[in-house]
Each structure stands twice: as structure tokens, then as C-alpha cells.
Amino acid sequence: GQQVMQIPQYQHVQEGEDFTTYCNSSTTLSNIQWYKQRPGGHPVFLIQLVKSGEVKKQKRLTFQFGEAKKNSSLHITATQTTDVGTYFCASPGGGYSTLTFGKGTMLLVSP
Amino acid sequence: DGGITQSPKYLFRKEGQNVTLSCEQNLNHDAMYWYRQDPGQGLRLIYYSQIVNDFQKGDIAEGYSVSREKKESFPLTVTSAQKNPTAFYLCASRRQNSNQPQHFGDGTRLSIL
């Protein structure tokens, strides 16, 4: 299946600072999904990006899909302690039956 | 997510023992998935099923088996052949459409005694 590389693996910020995680692929992606997993919890779907150059916002979260559809980013403005968790990107595997997940970025926010 | 139930929440296995993890969904989803999650490894696909009585191996199927006798149920058996079974196991389901997201259960944490 397609490989998606996600960086950084881990980030620790002070509350109020911004945060960005990046997802990169060597091949063109048909779409990309983002999930959030709280500590001890399960992944929860956040959003899907389909179009080249697409930008979507959810309150303080901004999601981008690259023009070449090979990379994506999730940016959080002014982090809060409720943002703590691991953020995963995922893209369809061959035949669109499966998803290939990045290894995730763990975000820790200190008050 | 509401609609997907995994049990038990915690499970302990003795050496040489098979254990079965339950996953039930009432979302009327056709496709179901099993993932294994280890620290720093993300989610790795074990098995998936797109329709009743049919399933396919994922990336790390060795030492695992599944069945899909009912649309609602997709149990995973961790066999004694799986030498390193300690992990967090997640079940997911989705509608059978390429643009649909996956919905996850709360997971089962399996440990070796």
C-alpha cells in the first residue's frame, strides 16, 4: 500500500503556542484523512481532503492538501490542553478498501 | 465511537493460549477492520472484511485469524503462533465507499501473563 510519512513524531508545546504536523507521500494521494486519538482512547475521524490545494478549517484547526496531492498538514492555532493526543493522517490503500496510516504525531500541551 | 463495541477492554493471555477479541457493530457497515497499535508504530492492519463470509489479510496477519459469519460481527483470534501479542487492538468499520471514514471501537488491550 501507499506509504505516508508523518513528522514530527512528537511535539511538546506550551499552551497558546501553535502546532503543525506534516504528512508526506512519494506518490499522489487520492485523498487524505486526519484522525485524533486522545490518550487511552481510540482514533476519531476529523476531516477528509480530496481536492488539490484544498484548505479546510475547524475552529482552531486548519487542514491543507498540497497542490500535487503528495502532502498534507494539520495546523493548530493557540493550542489548548484539550488538544493533547496523537494526530494521524491516513490515505487509501490499493483498491480503496483499506487505509494506510502514518505513524502519528503525539502532541503534549503544558498549561 | 457509538455503534462499535469491543470486548473485553483488557485481556490477559498465557503462553500457548489462543484468545478471541470481540467486535460488534450496529452501524450497518459492510467493511470491518482489525488493527494492532504499538507505541510509536501507528496503526497496522491485521485483517479486513468487505462482505460477509469474505476477508483479506492485512500487513501483519501472521499469528491471527478472523471470521465474518455475520455482518455485525468480526471477531479476531490471536493464536499461540503470534509470538509478541502484547498490544492495543482496535476494530473499525465503515460504509463500503472509498470516501467514507472509519469508525473505531474503544479497543482491547492484550497482555501476556
Side-chain angles (χ1 to χ4, degrees):
Chain A
Q2 297 188 44
Q3 297 280 337
V4 284
M5 306 300 293
Q6 198 171 348
I7 56 170
Q9 185 175 352
Y10 172 83
Q11 188 152 6
H12 184 183
V13 300
Q14 293 294 121
E15 192 171 23
E17 293 181 338
D18 292 356
F19 160 78
T20 305
T21 174
Y22 301 90
C23 194
N24 299 297
S25 171
S26 58
T27 59
T28 301
L29 304 173
S30 59
N31 65 68
I32 194 152
Q33 299 178 5
W34 285 93
Y35 292 78
K36 176 184 178 181
Q37 183 177 23
R38 294 183 185 275
H42 58 272
V44 175
F45 174 74
L46 294 176
I47 209 160
Q48 178 173 260
L49 304 172
V50 179
K51 299 177 183 177
S52 169
E54 189 169 15
V55 178
K56 288 187 177 180
K57 292 190 175 185
Q58 290 180 349
K59 297 183 180 178
R60 295 177 294 102
L61 277 61
T62 302
F63 303 83
Q64 290 189 301
F65 203 8
E67 293 290 340
K69 299 182 73 173
K70 290 185 177 182
N71 57 74
S72 181
S73 65
L74 158 58
H75 179 81
I76 302 178
T77 303
T79 55
Q80 300 175 357
T81 55
T82 53
D83 295 324
V84 165
T86 300
Y87 293 84
F88 294 97
C89 62
S91 68
Y96 300 98
S97 302
T98 62
L99 283 178
T100 299
F101 284 81
K103 292 190 175 182
T105 296
M106 183 184 296
L107 172 64
L108 181 62
V109 181
S110 295
Chain B
D1 284 353
I4 300 181
T5 303
Q6 287 188 244
S7 61
K9 192 174 179 69
Y10 299 96
L11 187 58
F12 298 92
R13 195 192 90 166
K14 295 180 180 179
E15 294 284 347
Q17 188 179 48
N18 293 353
V19 290
T20 298
L21 284 58
S22 171
C23 179
E24 304 276 334
Q25 55 99 0
N26 62 6
L27 301 169
N28 199 32
H29 287 171
D30 290 302
M32 296 187 74
Y33 305 83
W34 274 105
Y35 295 92
R36 170 178 171 140
Q37 187 173 34
D38 297 280
Q41 292 293 321
L43 280 71
R44 293 185 290 169
L45 183 64
I46 304 173
Y47 268 98
Y48 67 102
S49 169
Q50 296 176 262
I51 196 169
V52 174
N53 292 323
D54 188 43
F55 47 83
Q56 285 78 40
K57 293 182 179 180
D59 300 319
I60 55 165
E62 186 174 352
Y64 301 96
S65 66
V66 293
S67 63
R68 186 86 186 276
E69 297 178 1
K70 298 186 300 182
K71 187 176 184 177
E72 304 79 25
S73 179
F74 191 39
L76 173 73
T77 297
V78 184
T79 74
S80 57
Q82 172 50 244
K83 297 307 179 187
N84 185 24
T86 297
F88 188 47
Y89 291 87
L90 286 159
C91 178
S93 71
R94 70 162 193 170
R95 288 183 183 177
Q96 193 63 301
N97 177 290
S98 64
N99 288 336
Q100 294 299 311
Q102 293 189 6
H103 300 259
F104 287 83
D106 289 338
T108 292
R109 197 165 296 277
L110 175 62
S111 301
I112 293 295
L113 287 179

